[in-house]
Each structure stands twice: as structure tokens, then as C-alpha cells.
Amino acid sequence: MKNIIKTKQLVKHFGGVSAVDHLSITIPKGQITGLVGPNGSGKTTLINLLSGFFSHDKGAILFSDTERRKILPWENKIYNITRTFQQIRLFDQMTVLDNMLVVLTERNPFWSLFEKHNKYHIKQAEDILGHLGLYEKRFHNAGDLSYGQRKLLEIGRVLSMDADTILFDEPFAGLFPEMIKQIEGIIKELKQKGKTIVLVEHNMAIIRSLCDYVIVMDAGKMLAEGSPEKVLSEKIVLEAYLGE
């Protein structure tokens, strides 16, 4: 099994608290890896470290066996990695279409406002919006969308980047069952295209349905790893995560 991401003894402190505590994990290439654990276990901190939104204090992060010493968010394009956020990050006063074009063209949001959007970029954006069921909303401001539609738009922006590795931080939180099924379908499509997915999620039914591999975190450390069936039935996981 080829691995695309590795961490070696990774450490991140906030004050006196170790949010990530000497964590060594591997993310298999071309699979969907679930990252689970109780609140405060370090899952989102790990996503922030992998995507450069936090810098690590000690240890190493490797992409395709190349160590990435200083990670900067705007360099993620170089490493073919992108992410979503727990709290949706859109330009609310811009149209749905323009939110897509910001990502499809110049990566810097300020300069993208001055970049001429050609027919190719517009068609790309409209095709993705059509796939997501947001085409009719393309001229609406992003701030006017429903919560579920805003989640879809953020995922659409991720799709437009066509990255090899995608980090999803709780993409299903607060969604109705119909929207959950739609996003599950999108993630399955990404796997079929050979993408590597890391999925932070609390819903164990979704983890069992989607994931090939699961990593359980607790107090910044890895508690268990393996197939969903194996990991989610282990006593230590049930005690720490499910409270049984």
C-alpha cells in the first residue's frame, strides 16, 4: 500500500496543552481515510497542520516521502492538496459564480477581482455548479444561500482545484439526509478518480459506509488504526470515543 502523507512524531502545543502529541501516522494513497475521535482529540489541529494553517513545533510532515519543513497555505497547490473547513469560508457579498472563479483563476482573492475571467473558466465553474445543483443560484450572493447550499459551494470550490489529496473537515455537520447522500456521492466519485481523501467525521455510520481506513485519535495521540470494522469494534476505542 503506497502512502501519500506521513507524520513522524508530530507535535503541536497551545500554551501548556499538547493538541497533537508525538503523532506518527500514514495516509494511504487513493483511499478514503476517516479521522475520528472525541471532541478535543486533535483532529482539526492535525488538518490545520497538514494544510499549513498551523505550523508544527516538532516532528515531520512528509508528502510522497518528501519532508515539508515549513508549510504555507498558499503552497498547497504545489503539493496538490486542498481542504474544507468546519466553519464555511465563502465571500458572502460575491456571487456564487464569482466564488468559484476566485479559485479557478488567481489564487489570491484580491488579485482575482482584477483578473479577466475567460469563457473556459466560466464554463468550468458553471459545469461544477450544475453538478452540485447550484447552477440556478450562480448569480445569487453566496450569503443568500441556505446552510446546505453553502456547504455544497465550498465543496465545489475544492472540486475546482482538482487536487490529488483533499482534507474534509466535518463536511456533513448539520446537514439533512438528502444533502448527506449527495456529498457522500461526491466523495465516492473523487475516490473513483484516484483522489486521496481524509475525512474528519463524528457519524460512525458515514465512516463505516465511506472509509477504507480509519485512524482514531485521543488527546493528540493515535489510539488505533485499521479497517472501520476492526477499529470501531475495539474495546479501547469504544471506551475512549463511544463512552462504552
Side-chain angles (χ1 to χ4, degrees):
M1 183 187 299
K2 188 173 182 180
N3 301 307
I4 195 163
I5 299 175
K6 295 181 183 179
T7 70
K8 293 183 177 180
Q9 296 294 308
L10 195 64
V11 174
K12 179 62 181 179
H13 296 291
F14 293 105
V17 178
S18 294
V20 172
D21 189 1
H22 296 88
L23 182 69
S24 296
I25 62 168
T26 59
I27 304 295
K29 184 176 182 179
Q31 297 193 22
I32 302 173
T33 297
L35 190 60
V36 305
N39 289 329
S41 60
K43 304 182 300 296
T44 293
T45 299
L46 177 59
I47 295 295
N48 285 329
L49 291 171
L50 295 178
S51 56
F53 285 83
F54 291 162
S55 59
H56 53 287
D57 298 325
K58 295 179 183 178
I61 298 173
L62 295 89
F63 287 85
S64 300
D65 295 322
T66 300
E67 184 173 352
R68 195 172 172 187
R69 294 181 181 276
K70 186 175 182 181
I71 304 173
L72 299 172
W74 51 86
E75 292 179 338
N76 283 324
K77 181 184 176 184
I78 299 171
Y79 294 89
N80 257 315
I81 185 169
T82 189
R83 65 168 297 181
T84 67
F85 293 85
Q86 280 187 24
Q87 303 298 322
I88 302 169
R89 297 190 178 190
L90 299 173
F91 298 102
D92 286 345
Q93 301 307 312
M94 292 171 60
T95 67
V96 169
L97 181 60
D98 283 339
N99 266 272
M100 292 291 297
L101 292 172
V102 164
V103 179
L104 277 164
T105 55
E106 171 60 52
R107 298 302 187 206
N108 183 303
F110 176 77
W111 289 113
S112 71
L113 298 175
F114 301 97
E115 182 173 345
K116 184 177 180 180
H117 304 306
N118 61 38
K119 291 181 180 179
Y120 173 73
H121 289 138
I122 292 171
K123 185 179 187 307
Q124 274 187 297
E126 290 182 341
D127 285 349
I128 294 170
L129 292 174
H131 182 59
L132 297 174
L134 294 175
Y135 181 80
E136 299 301 325
K137 301 283 187 180
R138 66 193 185 282
F139 298 129
H140 292 223
N141 280 354
D144 296 332
L145 298 179
S146 69
Y147 176 77
Q149 289 170 335
R150 287 167 59 79
K151 280 268 192 179
L152 281 177
L153 179 55
E154 184 178 42
I155 290 172
R157 284 157 54 94
V158 163
L159 295 179
S160 71
M161 297 182 72
D162 196 30
D164 291 335
T165 302
I166 305 170
L167 314 175
F168 285 99
D169 196 356
E170 298 191 28
F172 301 101
L175 298 181
F176 291 113
E178 296 80 7
M179 191 74 74
I180 288 174
K181 287 181 181 178
Q182 184 177 357
I183 295 175
E184 281 182 322
I186 291 168
I187 292 175
K188 287 177 181 178
E189 287 177 5
L190 289 169
K191 182 191 172 183
Q192 289 171 356
K193 292 178 180 178
K195 308 297 187 183
T196 300
I197 308 296
V198 179
L199 174 63
V200 176
E201 181 53 46
H202 287 286
N203 186 318
M204 293 300 103
I206 292 174
I207 291 293
R208 288 189 174 93
S209 170
L210 282 180
C211 294
D212 306 292
Y213 193 75
V214 175
I215 295 170
V216 184
M217 291 183 65
D218 189 27
K221 299 176 181 290
M222 184 178 71
L223 189 64
E225 63 179 332
S227 69
E229 296 77 13
K230 172 182 175 291
V231 168
L232 299 180
S233 63
E234 290 187 16
K235 184 178 180 181
I236 190 172
V237 174
L238 295 174
E239 289 174 348
Y241 185 47
L242 303 176
E244 298 183 8

